Amino acid sequence: MQTLQSLQYEELHSHYNRYLSPFLPYSSNDRYTDRILLPESIGSGSISRTRLRPGMEVIMADFQIKDDYTMQLRSVLPMVDLTFWIQGYIEILHSGIQEQISPGLGHLTFGLEQQLELKYAAGMPIAICEIRLSTALFDELMDELGHARYSSALILAGRENLIFHQSILPKVQAILQDLRSHPFAGPMRKMFLEGKTLELALWLQQTLFEDEVPAQRGRIRLRKEDIARVREACGILEKRMEQPPSLLELSKLAGISDSKLKAGFKELFGTTVFGYLKEKRLDKAKELLEMERINVCEAALMVGYSNPSHFAASFRERFGCNPSEWIIESQRL
């Protein structure tokens, strides 16, 4: 039986071939990867697409067009698209908004329906790495990261599409270099690419939630009133751990800028805002399991985990045992 993810996986595949139809046919390097060599009449270079886990694919393009070329794209497939522009300038018309894309920029796009126009200049070397996720897989990954309330539907909040922009950080540049220059082939290539692709979830998490303050901004000095505001933010998180506010909402509630809030958590607690919340959630869950005599699923839901297996994995990582084992142990005391 096909699951929602596997259905979206096949739709991703056919959608990819549909918008690259001017460059087809393609050749298959192996059963996971399709590779297109641009015909000489159009330009030079290649575009490869590798199917990873169901609902996930990575596309790497490195090419040059002979003449100015405009590509029309239209998608009615809900998806999350993470694109890193490595080399070359491209003009994009996205949902009526015109912008020029320059190297060193990352785009995170959520879309139920999208219409794009991409303009490639003649002779311009282009290098792009694109990761495409089904919305079902995105929601699953967010749950694993502890951000279950940030489903694709909640992020879109009734909009057709939404784009986040962020510069490509040095650690992300290193991952992209690994993706582009690895020596592997066949199944090992697929495993390597999937691992590196999941590493980029760190970039995604920073983009949506709590990007660390870039080093070039220098150290942020915290005054006594700033520290008091950070502690107030702690109290808000602990009271609302089941449905915590976003970082920007939390900073507004506490009356402090988001940059000072992040710096304050690092200075006072040695962790990020999300890291602090995760610790407090697990501490509260441990207390509930010990004192309230409730089951594991109930404890997970009460502290904000919608997936009991992810809760169990986090609990085990923090305390060295499964929550069910902790219940048995606490009953002996």
Side-chain angles (χ1 to χ4, degrees), residues 116-135:
L116 292 86
E117 181 180 274
L118 287 78
K119 293 183 178 180
Y120 299 96
M124 175 74 70
I126 301 293
I128 302 168
C129 179
E130 181 181 1
I131 295 161
R132 300 157 67 81
L133 304 172
S134 68
T135 52

Side-chain angles (χ1 to χ4, degrees), residues 196-207:
K196 286 295 177 181
T197 297
L198 290 173
E199 279 188 57
L200 291 172
L202 295 174
W203 184 91
L204 184 150
Q205 180 177 336
Q206 291 164 359
T207 302

Side-chain angles (χ1 to χ4, degrees), residues 7 24 56 72 108 115 146 211 232 242 253 292 297 327:
L7 286 170
L24 298 178
M56 176 190 289
Q72 303 282 348
L108 175 61
Q115 189 158 346
D211 180 22
E232 183 177 343
E242 184 180 352
L253 289 171
E292 303 291 338
C297 289
I327 292 175

